[in-house]
Amino acid sequence: RLIRRQRQMCIRDSYQAMDAENFNALKAISKQLELGIAHARLYRDARERMSRLKVLREIDQAIIARHAIDDILEIVITNIPAGLGADAVAVSLLNGDTDLPWVFRMRLPNGTIIKEKAFDLAESLLHWLEVRKDPVIIYDLGQDPRVQMHQKAIQDQGLSSYLGVPMVSQDKTIAILHILTTRPRVFGQEDVDFFITLAGQAAIAIDNAMLLEDIKTAEEKYRRLAENAPDIIYKINLAPEPGLEYVNPAVTAITGYSPAEFYTNPGLLMEAVWPDDRGLMEDILAGTAPLNKPFIMRMRRKDGAWRWTEQRMTPIFDASGNLAAIEGIGRDITESKRLEENLEEALSQMRTITESAQDAIIMLDPEGRVTYWNPAAEQILGYTCAEVMGKVLHNFIAPQRYHDAYD
């Protein structure tokens, strides 16, 4: 419009002095100038769109690369150029415990990156962003009552206009993207749509990073538990390639072999099993042994000694329902077996003594029922073991008239 007005003025003021040839030349120059300006605008818009696409591409790569949260925040705040209306950029991750945000990263207009909390949001503003999930535009930060608490910080940085965009993943606001300018700016719909798209992409990347960190934390927790457990914890893959995937350090205390020795020597797993129990182990590895109850397996230590172990295994199936792996816990029960054998031996000796004794030897439970009745008791009292076992002794040795009083 300015060019057209100037052209009209030129024509009006110079109408008498300008001939047709000069007039036509000036008219042609004016059209070329208009065309040049139009091309410049198109070029500027194209560059802005390319910048936006570049930023979105960086966010996409962050999702694919599974960056850590700090890396994603760094990508977001450093890759949005000021030319897109982002003289300053900040990202607040929402704290699920208090429903209040804290700024993890902020790029100031001078390019400085700060990691400490830079500003707070009024509750009404936070509600609009987090609950309603709608963007918020503030033309003049210095005059808006929702950010009065930040006036000094705003004045120090020379910040003027604000665009807040909720970062939503799986229908939950997990963060807020803050776009700030040093000059008053009216954010157009194209600007808002771009930052909504960017915020959505960044939210997916952050959500994935949070999930990955939760998984890593859980894995570390269970790894510590496994590493310090007194029992052998292991996982044996059956398909596609059979082999020991994991065994914890407790295997060394029980077998004398280190986990590394089992990993480097696939045959050691079978070699460490007692020959008579290898058939059971072969059935397990073939997927034909029932794993619904614990079973006993003897294992040879590195020093040649043998240990008794109780094995509890859980089958792991693939998506097709085929047995793909076995996870198990092996407990050393050698001492329990030794005590059991000693007890059996002691009981055998006691039976030999009591059964050859000439005196009646009788054992009762707390209710007075017979639990043991030796041959001498049969001879002396006249009742066989089968007749009295599990019955109240008083009813056999006391006269009938005393039975009611005993009961």
Side-chain angles (χ1 to χ4, degrees):
R1 288 195 299 269
L2 178 60
I3 295 171
R4 188 176 297 109
R5 189 179 299 111
Q6 289 176 341
R7 184 176 63 185
Q8 291 171 349
M9 290 175 61
C10 178
I11 293 172
R12 183 188 63 194
D13 296 342
S14 307
Y15 182 78
Q16 299 297 331
M18 184 178 295
D19 57 21
E21 182 179 354
N22 289 333
F23 176 80
N24 290 332
L26 183 61
K27 183 178 179 181
I29 293 173
S30 177
K31 289 184 177 180
Q32 290 180 1
L33 185 58
E34 286 185 6
L35 183 61
I37 293 174
H39 285 174
R41 288 174 176 169
L42 290 174
Y43 178 71
R44 181 198 62 191
D45 292 344
R47 290 196 62 179
E48 285 188 0
R49 289 189 176 93
M50 287 297 295
S51 296
R52 291 169 179 168
L53 290 174
K54 180 181 177 183
V55 175
L56 293 177
R57 180 173 175 272
E58 294 287 343
I59 300 300
D60 284 337
Q61 289 179 338
I63 296 174
I64 296 172
R66 295 188 176 183
H67 283 299
I69 293 177
D70 286 348
D71 296 333
I72 296 171
L73 297 178
E74 201 81 18
I75 290 172
V76 172
I77 66 173
T78 58
N79 282 276
I80 304 178
L84 297 181
D87 296 313
V89 183
V91 177
S92 303
L93 295 185
L94 295 179
N95 186 342
D97 296 331
T98 62
D99 292 330
L100 294 176
W102 68 99
V103 175
F104 268 71
R105 291 289 186 277
M106 182 173 184
R107 172 175 60 79
L108 300 178
N110 61 7
T112 302
I113 305 296
I114 59 175
K115 299 182 180 180
E116 66 274 9
K117 186 177 181 180
F119 54 80
D120 295 311
L121 296 178
E123 289 186 7
S124 60
L125 188 61
L126 178 60
H127 176 83
W128 190 279
L129 291 164
E130 181 182 3
V131 180
R132 296 189 57 167
K133 303 180 181 67
D134 289 329
V136 173
I137 298 175
I138 300 176
Y139 179 74
D140 187 353
L141 284 171
Q143 299 298 322
D144 196 291
R146 292 171 294 180
V147 291
Q148 281 184 353
M149 67 185 77
H150 316 311
Q151 272 204 341
K152 186 177 185 306
I154 293 169
Q155 291 171 357
D156 290 344
Q157 298 299 328
L159 302 176
S160 179
S161 298
Y162 170 87
L163 170 62
V165 182
M167 303 174 69
V168 181
S169 177
Q170 300 184 39
D171 201 35
K172 179 182 178 182
T173 304
I174 63 173
I176 299 171
L177 174 66
H178 311 275
I179 307 298
L180 305 103
T181 67
T182 54
R183 295 181 180 181
R185 180 185 177 101
V186 177
F187 290 96
Q189 190 58 50
E190 187 175 357
D191 297 326
V192 175
D193 290 342
F194 163 70
F195 286 117
I196 289 175
T197 302
L198 186 147
Q201 292 296 95
I204 294 173
I206 292 173
D207 202 19
N208 288 345
M210 287 179 173
L211 178 60
L212 187 60
E213 288 189 2
D214 289 343
I215 292 173
K216 288 181 178 178
T217 300
E219 287 178 345
E220 178 63 21
K221 175 183 176 181
Y222 290 115
R223 186 193 66 80
R224 288 196 302 269
L225 290 174
E227 297 294 302
N228 294 285
D231 299 332
I232 302 175
I233 299 175
Y234 55 89
K235 181 178 181 181
I236 303 173
N237 290 328
L238 303 180
E241 294 185 8
L244 182 66
E245 178 179 325
Y246 173 79
V247 64
N248 69 335
V251 73
T252 304
I254 296 176
T255 69
Y257 295 100
S258 68
E261 289 177 285
F262 279 98
Y263 296 145
T264 56
N265 182 6
L268 183 58
L269 183 63
M270 187 65 72
E271 294 173 8
V273 177
W274 180 277
D276 292 346
D277 295 338
R278 287 176 185 172
L280 173 60
M281 190 63 179
E282 290 173 352
D283 291 342
I284 293 172
L285 297 179
T288 58
L291 302 178
N292 57 349
K293 60 181 180 180
F295 53 86
I296 304 301
M297 183 175 291
R298 290 162 289 184
M299 302 191 71
R300 178 177 60 83
R301 282 181 51 84
K302 192 174 185 178
D303 59 11
W306 291 93
R307 309 294 292 181
W308 291 84
T309 66
E310 180 186 73
Q311 303 288 334
R312 294 178 179 268
M313 297 184 179
T314 300
I316 305 298
F317 299 94
D318 60 19
S320 301
N322 300 315
L323 184 63
I326 293 172
E327 293 178 344
I329 297 177
R331 174 167 298 177
D332 187 348
I333 61 169
T334 304
E335 293 304 317
S336 298
K337 292 292 291 185
R338 185 174 293 119
L339 290 174
E340 183 181 326
E341 291 173 356
N342 291 341
L343 177 61
E344 183 61 34
E345 183 180 352
L347 289 174
S348 178
Q349 293 176 353
M350 185 190 72
R351 282 194 296 270
T352 300
I353 294 172
T354 57
E355 288 179 5
S356 61
Q358 299 301 310
D359 298 324
I361 299 177
I362 302 170
M363 294 183 183
L364 308 176
D365 65 13
E367 303 297 327
R369 295 183 178 86
V370 176
T371 59
Y372 181 75
W373 187 272
N374 75 334
E378 292 183 347
Q379 295 294 325
I380 295 172
L381 298 175
Y383 295 100
T384 65
C385 181
E387 289 177 301
V388 300
M389 188 62 63
K391 298 177 182 178
V392 177
L393 177 63
H394 182 80
N395 294 334
F396 292 95
I397 63 175
Q400 182 66 37
R401 63 179 181 274
Y402 296 118
H403 286 189
D404 293 340
Y406 178 79
D407 294 337

